[in-house]
């Protein structure tokens, strides 16, 4: 079908608009099932390279021929929230929109722009990844349709070249660091390192928060970050991964570092599976045999295929605009139930995207795609994990993460010691947040 797509340009001038007063957040009176054709609109971004929106819309329309899902394209990146916020304030936002950044979820909810969809959440499989943390004071305002989790990607050929045993699911972070050093020495090529750590703060802090017993983002104590940073600094100092300065100054990309075999392994989200397969098929990445393993663990209590490894990842969620025409509410809720349920999950898996609900059908589909590794550990890593959020739902998450972003840059650039940077962050949170 020729789908109607509306394009929205970035609205920098709208950045000063606030969400408060944009709409009510409570459910209207029980919506009746619509009679006759219905059109609902869905927000998304970068449709040319992000096919999930078209995929979900088409799959839902195939099951519901009286419904048309109209797509509205927003800018990608941080501009998405700015442009969407402007449309919400102006009353022109789509009926259904993506809460792209979990740290902004409470902002949208408290601003009254999201409809209470607790009834939709109650219908979903409890195994849906990221569903439970979406509850705010007993109500749910957005549901996950994607749930990427961070995994270990490794180049089997470079491991063999270096004479290093492949990951087996039993690795702690110390094992990972040891392997990176052995790989770097064993490969013996100047421009190839055992590991690659991307520059994002999540590559260190996401794991530390998820895996460290008792760690909390809003507890005011960030000492749990110390061993994770000390390990990464030691790895870059010994040359088993590029330095943070090299990564940021040269704007290195994880896709090129791993995809062109400049690093034997990297930790990255499950979204990279589809990207790597596509880039190997197109020639943008080298042809080599690779595999997946669970992310390295805090200690041995969660290692091995008899245990459930702990990792992190924020869900990508959908909510309903509180200003929606009441006649469309039932259809919008049904679309969310579809997108976050098994049918939506199956549709996403067919294009290599990790849905929030991973069942055997999804796993079979993903591992049936050409180019996806077929070994048992890769399937275990993809299907078995406890994934905790990088950005726990809370009113102070965004402010705290901004401060911790400064900590990350200071530590990884070695402009401040780990202990001093942590102390500074704790003081700033105490003085600036809440």
């Amino acid at each position: 079908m020729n789908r109607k797509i509306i394009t929205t340009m970035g609205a920098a001038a709208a950045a000063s608009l606030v969400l408060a007063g944009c709409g009510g957040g409570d459910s209207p009176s029980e919506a009746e099932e619509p009679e006759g054709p219905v059109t609902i609109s869905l927000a998304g971004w970068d449709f040319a390279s992000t096919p999930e929106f078209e995929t979900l819309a088409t799959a839902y329309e195939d099951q519901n021929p009286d419904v048309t899902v109209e797509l509205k394209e927003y800018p990608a990146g941080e501009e998405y929230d700015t442009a969407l916020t402007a449309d919400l304030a102006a009353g022109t936002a789509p009926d259904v929109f993506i809460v792209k950044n979990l740290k902004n979820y409470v902002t949208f909810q408290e601003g009254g722009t999201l409809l209470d969809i607790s009834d939709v959440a109650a219908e979903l499989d409890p195994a849906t990844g990221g569903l439970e943390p979406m509850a705010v004071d007993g109500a749910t305002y957005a549901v996950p349709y994607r749930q990427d989790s961070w995994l270990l990607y490794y180049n089997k050929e470079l491991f063999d070249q270096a004479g290093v045993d492949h990951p087996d699911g039993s690795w702690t972070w110390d094992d990972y660091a040891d392997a990176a050093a052995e790989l770097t020495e064993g490969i013996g090529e100047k421009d190839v390192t055992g590991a690659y750590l991307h520059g994002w703060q999540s590559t260190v802090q996401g794991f530390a928060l998820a895996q460290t017993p008792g760690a909390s983002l809003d507890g005011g104590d960030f000492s749990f970050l110390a061993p994770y940073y000390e390990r990464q600094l030691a790895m870059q100092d010994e040359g088993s991964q590029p330095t943070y300065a090299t990564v940021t100054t040269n704007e290195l990309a994880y896709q090129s570092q791993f995809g062109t075999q400049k690093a034997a392994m990297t930790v990255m989200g499950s979204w990279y599976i589809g990207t790597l397969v596509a880039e190997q098929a197109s020639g943008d990445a080298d042809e080599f045999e690779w595999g997946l393993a669970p992310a390295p663990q805090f200690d041995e209590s969660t290692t091995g295929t008899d245990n459930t490894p702990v990792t992190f990842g924020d869900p990508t969620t959908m909510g309903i605009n509180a200003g929606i025409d009441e006649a469309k509410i039932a259809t919008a809720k049904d679309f969310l139930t579809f997108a976050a349920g098994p049918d939506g999950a199956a549709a996403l898996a067919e294009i290599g995207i990790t849905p929030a609900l991973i069942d055997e059908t999804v796993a079979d589909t993903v591992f049936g795609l050409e180019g996806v590794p077929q070994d048992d550990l890769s399937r275990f890593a993809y299907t078995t994990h406890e994934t905790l959020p990088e950005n726990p739902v809370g009113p102070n998450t965004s402010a705290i993460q901004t401060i911790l972003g400064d900590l990350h840059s200071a530590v990884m650039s070695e402009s401040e010691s780990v202990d001093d940077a942590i102390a500074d962050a704790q003081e700033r949170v105490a003085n600036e947040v809440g």
Side-chain angles (χ1 to χ4, degrees), residues 76-113:
E78 294 299 322
E79 286 188 49
Y80 170 81
D81 283 335
T82 301
L84 178 63
T85 297
D87 280 359
L88 287 166
T92 58
D95 302 317
V96 177
F97 63 89
I98 310 302
V99 182
K100 187 179 182 183
N101 299 303
L102 189 59
K103 63 185 179 182
N104 294 330
Y105 171 54
V106 171
T107 302
F108 284 119
Q109 182 267 324
E110 290 183 343
T113 60

Side-chain angles (χ1 to χ4, degrees), residues 68-336:
T68 298
V69 181
E70 181 180 284
L71 300 181
K72 186 169 185 177
E73 186 173 21
Y74 284 85
E78 294 299 322
E79 286 188 49
Y80 170 81
D81 283 335
T82 301
L84 178 63
T85 297
D87 280 359
L88 287 166
T92 58
D95 302 317
V96 177
F97 63 89
I98 310 302
V99 182
K100 187 179 182 183
N101 299 303
L102 189 59
K103 63 185 179 182
N104 294 330
Y105 171 54
V106 171
T107 302
F108 284 119
Q109 182 267 324
E110 290 183 343
T113 60
L114 286 166
L115 198 70
D116 183 340
I117 54 169
S118 299
D119 51 344
V120 174
E123 293 182 24
L124 299 178
D125 190 323
T128 302
L131 177 60
E132 184 178 350
M134 300 307 295
V136 178
D137 297 329
T140 300
Y141 299 87
V143 292
Y145 71 98
R146 287 186 60 168
Q147 173 64 78
D148 286 294
S149 300
W150 281 61
L151 309 169
L152 175 65
Y153 295 74
Y154 69 100
N155 183 320
K156 296 183 178 182
E157 296 176 15
L158 288 179
F159 268 74
D160 292 342
Q161 178 182 330
V164 176
D165 291 339
H166 293 194
D168 60 3
S170 68
W171 281 10
T172 64
W173 284 104
D174 288 339
D175 296 324
Y176 171 82
D178 291 343
E182 293 174 15
L183 286 161
T184 303
E185 181 178 358
I187 295 169
E189 298 179 19
K190 180 181 178 182
D191 295 329
V192 180
T193 55
Y196 175 74
L197 184 76
H198 201 49
W200 301 328
Q201 72 186 83
S202 58
T203 59
V204 182
Q205 295 179 10
F207 286 114
L209 178 62
Q211 295 178 341
T212 307
S216 171
L217 190 70
D218 60 2
D221 179 3
F222 304 125
S223 60
F224 65 89
L225 296 173
Y228 282 80
Y229 274 113
E230 289 163 356
R231 185 183 299 107
Q232 296 299 338
L233 290 173
M235 290 178 66
Q236 71 176 21
D237 288 347
E238 71 184 9
S240 60
Q241 64 187 21
T243 65
Y244 177 78
T246 299
V247 171
T248 54
T249 301
N250 295 334
E251 298 182 342
L252 299 184
Y254 64 87
Q255 299 96 324
S256 60
Q257 291 300 113
F258 186 76
T260 61
Q261 305 190 84
K262 293 182 176 65
M265 58 182 177
T266 189
V267 286
M268 190 50 59
S270 52
W271 65 80
Y272 185 40
I273 295 172
T275 301
L276 181 54
V277 167
E279 289 185 344
Q280 285 193 318
S282 69
D284 290 334
D286 295 346
E287 281 291 330
F288 60 89
E289 190 176 359
W290 55 278
L292 301 170
Q297 297 294 293
F298 176 80
D299 61 26
E300 294 180 354
S301 66
T302 53
T303 64
T305 54
D306 292 333
N307 291 313
T308 300
V310 178
T311 186
F312 80 95
D314 283 349
T316 307
T317 66
M318 285 186 185
I320 297 176
N321 183 351
I324 187 174
D325 183 337
E326 188 172 339
K328 297 182 179 183
I329 291 176
T331 302
K333 287 184 174 182
D334 190 62
F335 177 73
L336 262 62

